[in-house]
Amino acid sequence: MIRLSPRPRTAGARAPRAHAARPLRRRAADPRRALAFAIACAAGLAAGFAAGPHAAPWLWRAIDGPGRAVEAIAVVGHERVDAEAIARRTGVERGAPIDAIDFAAAAAAVAAEPWVREARVRRAPDGTLLVAVEERAAAALLEDAARGAWLALESDGRPIAPVEPDAWPALPRLRSLAPVEPGVPNADAVRALALVGELAAHGLPAAEWIALPLRDAPAAAPDARAASAHGDADIAPAEAGFRAKLADGGAEVVLGDAPAAEQLARLATLLAERPDVARAAARIDLRFRDRAVLLPRDDVAAPAAPATDDARAASADAREPVWGGAPASDEVGARGRERAWMRALALRGAPWTRRDRTSVGGDEEWLARTI
């Protein structure tokens, strides 16, 4: 009988157990694999936090435990609105169960704050309620002359909330004789904001304020003009369009209902060619197609016409148009008189014309003179 001895184990037979253990040891010792595993875990938790109230309930119970109560409310993204005021708007009290919070309702309550554009309410670890807000940005301040209040405006002309008149000195100042609707975008305010940049583009002085047109409010116009300190009540038709008061004691510029680049170019030419005349003007009316009409200041003597204009002015003295009579009590009559005066003035050939106010027999008359 032949007895076979057991087959000796080779190196290859012992290898499986040893090889099976080595990869685990390498995997645990490899810092790159450990870092990737940690990142994957962190990403999973971050995804759960980002999901907020939509995350699976078991995830929050695993982190906070069942029946977790609100221990703190954290507010981020706020600057204008106080954090405590935002926390109060959520309606969530400290100690309330987190599982019972209506996150959408809390966010809507915070977004009702005038200065808040968007709000998000999320659940964070350790019993913390996270409130993230995006605030509105003020692009200008508007004086609502009808209500005697100042409002901050967004870039779309939407009034945000009342502010102090001296808030944000660097922002443009707008004025409105008609009441401004809260929370409603105003197209005229947007056009006025655009005028700020257009004045700078034409090399013109900055505007101390820009007045919005008085549209579709003839009945309220007399009272609004009486309460306004932005212009003479006897030139009411000018208030129907945009007006800009140039800074540093400059004139009030009348631009009409639809300001155009050609008007600003004409104003830049006037300031460059006749700075003496422009400084003596209280109001510069650019509603004419090819000329500017200047109303002199009462306290500044109008400069004499240059020698080149003497012959033309002397030959036109006999045709000097006059707009006579006291201002009309109704808006329609005032606008009709203004249009008649402007048609008469259009007969003049000079690009710069001055109108002087005189008193004849107790009535006021406007005389147009070539500059």
Side-chain angles (χ1 to χ4, degrees), residues 280-339:
R283 175 174 287 180
I284 301 175
D285 196 335
L286 297 173
R287 289 177 292 173
F288 293 94
R289 180 177 301 174
D290 57 355
R291 71 198 70 231
V293 180
L294 289 80
L295 176 66
R297 303 186 188 191
D298 295 334
D299 57 342
V300 178
T308 55
D309 289 344
D310 286 346
R312 179 165 45 188
S315 63
D317 285 343
R319 298 186 294 108
E320 206 165 60
V322 176
W323 175 37
S329 59
D330 62 291
E331 188 71 13
V332 176
R335 290 183 180 178
R337 294 190 180 198
E338 179 78 354
R339 284 195 296 269

Side-chain angles (χ1 to χ4, degrees), residues 18-80:
H19 285 299
R22 285 194 197 106
L24 293 177
R25 287 198 296 270
R26 278 201 299 267
R27 201 176 289 123
D30 190 345
R32 291 177 299 178
R33 293 180 180 272
L35 178 61
F37 179 75
I39 292 176
C41 294
L45 289 175
F49 296 152
H54 306 293
W58 63 265
L59 176 61
W60 292 115
R61 292 192 187 96
I63 296 175
D64 281 339
R68 185 79 186 201
V70 176
E71 297 183 6
I73 300 178
V75 181
V76 296
H78 68 99
E79 182 177 350
R80 180 76 183 177

